[in-house]
Amino acid sequence: MSYPPIRLGLVGLGKIACDQHLPAIAGNSRFDLVAVADPVHRLDGVRGYAGLAEMLAGEAGKLDAVALCTPPAVRVPLARAAIAAGLDVLLEKPPAAAPTQAQALEQLATRAGVTLYAAWHSRESEVVEAARAWLATRSISAVHITWREDVRKWHPGQDWLLSKGGFGVFDPAINAFSILTEILPSGICVEGARMDVPANRGAPTDAQVDMRCSTGAPIIADLSILQPGHQQWDIVVNTPDGELVLRDGGHRLEIDGTLRQESANDEYARIYRRFADLITRRESDADARPLSLVADALLLGTVTTGPDFEF
């Protein structure tokens, strides 16, 4: 069955939008990118606006959906405005700065009859699906997450990430939490955290988070955005039937040291296929569980002040 194109507006033209969203949109025939809103950047061949309000005014009646790729601290009022305009909304991760904000947006979208999609790109992997299937009928003994990367490489000059409300180390680590909440067959709760915050910043650069499955198994997350050299994004799950390891951010699956499956980095292509499917079915997907784990870690954690950090 053929469908009319989904006329899309992209809000925020930063690194993630340019590296991931634009290629995924261009590769999906369901979407027609008609406008971009960004206070600084423009995209050749696409109408540009300084912000969402200007886009909504200039494209009245010409948009069906928007993808919000702004920092989370400013995303909620933009989502509200788009929902009020009757548009379907894709939210980059995390969907909001706090779980209650995400829940309120979901309720607002339901009342308005529009699709709201909180996209967790690290879940969008066949390898993650395979891990979830393998763990579905197994008990969990312990989980260890190592999520260590270099913020200067992946977020160069992006001061917002280390400001209050910018999440700091939890901005990349929430990807691990999104995988964790997808693959484990039981619930998860945070028990405590230890965080290092630079004296001149408002968010942590390093953290250890202690969690537990609802069945009692311990979960430890070792997190950093000050990792030089080798970058590591691994989740190790121990079970009585063997050890499952997800490496490379969820793109490589090993069982007891044997490679079982690898996947290409097509996460954002899958996100836009999912978004189009949700729009067609007039459904929403606004899971906020990964965000809740971050919020609990920040609430329950203790903070050590460290030396100043500069990009």
Side-chain angles (χ1 to χ4, degrees):
M1 181 181 296
S2 62
Y3 299 97
I6 299 166
R7 299 169 298 177
L8 183 70
L10 183 66
V11 183
L13 201 58
K15 180 175 173 57
I16 193 67
C18 292
D19 291 352
Q20 301 290 352
H21 286 262
L22 291 179
I25 294 165
N28 191 315
S29 61
R30 291 290 310 276
F31 291 95
D32 179 15
L33 181 62
V34 300
V36 169
D38 190 285
V40 177
H41 305 291
R42 294 291 181 268
L43 185 64
D44 290 345
V46 179
R47 292 187 292 278
Y49 298 90
L52 177 62
E54 293 83 357
M55 177 192 283
L56 293 178
E59 301 292 330
K62 302 175 185 177
L63 286 175
D64 302 305
V66 294
L68 301 183
C69 302
T70 65
V74 299
R75 199 170 291 151
V76 170
L78 299 177
R80 287 197 201 104
I83 292 170
L87 302 180
D88 300 311
V89 178
L90 185 154
L91 300 168
E92 243 297 348
K93 64 88 186 169
T100 53
Q101 294 177 351
Q103 292 161 8
L105 287 180
E106 183 177 16
Q107 294 167 359
L108 191 63
T110 298
R111 289 197 298 269
V114 302
T115 289
L116 181 69
Y117 178 29
W120 299 103
H121 68 84
S122 292
R123 286 181 176 174
E124 296 299 326
S125 165
E126 293 179 357
V127 170
V128 171
E129 292 177 5
R132 177 171 54 82
W134 193 85
L135 292 170
T137 58
R138 289 174 166 87
S139 61
I140 308 301
S141 304
V143 181
H144 193 279
I145 299 167
T146 306
W147 219 259
R148 302 179 65 88
E149 63 180 59
D150 184 355
V151 69
R152 292 183 175 95
K153 176 179 180 178
W154 301 105
H155 296 276
Q158 295 183 15
D159 288 292
W160 64 266
L161 188 142
L162 284 168
S163 63
K164 186 175 178 60
F167 286 53
V169 70
F170 291 109
D171 181 79
I174 203 170
N175 293 326
F177 294 170
S178 73
I179 294 173
L180 193 69
T181 51
E182 183 74 2
I183 66 173
L184 292 190
S186 61
I188 304 164
C189 68
V190 174
E191 296 189 329
R194 291 164 296 286
M195 299 173 287
D196 296 334
V197 179
N200 64 335
R201 300 289 178 170
T205 56
D206 297 83
Q208 179 173 308
V209 183
D210 299 319
M211 298 175 279
R212 195 169 296 276
C213 296
S214 57
T215 54
I219 304 170
I220 297 175
D222 175 26
L223 317 172
S224 179
I225 52 174
L226 301 181
Q227 174 78 8
H230 175 66
Q231 311 286 279
Q232 187 173 2
W233 304 284
D234 295 343
I235 299 175
V236 179
V237 184
N238 295 114
T239 80
D241 299 316
E243 180 182 82
L244 177 147
V245 182
L246 279 172
R247 299 198 188 278
D248 300 334
H251 292 122
R252 181 183 174 94
L253 173 63
E254 299 173 5
I255 306 292
D256 289 333
T258 300
L259 177 64
R260 290 292 187 91
Q261 191 170 342
E262 287 184 292
S263 68
N265 187 1
D266 62 348
E267 297 169 350
Y268 280 84
R270 289 167 63 100
I271 278 174
Y272 277 91
R273 289 197 294 271
R274 172 76 170 146
F275 189 33
D277 183 55
L278 288 169
I279 290 172
T280 299
R281 294 189 281 113
R282 307 313 306 159
E283 295 178 0
S284 289
D285 180 356
D287 181 15
R289 288 177 297 162
L291 181 59
S292 293
L293 294 179
V294 170
D296 286 353
L298 292 170
L299 176 65
L300 298 174
T302 58
V303 174
T304 299
T305 301
D308 287 359
F309 172 85
E310 303 296 344
F311 281 95

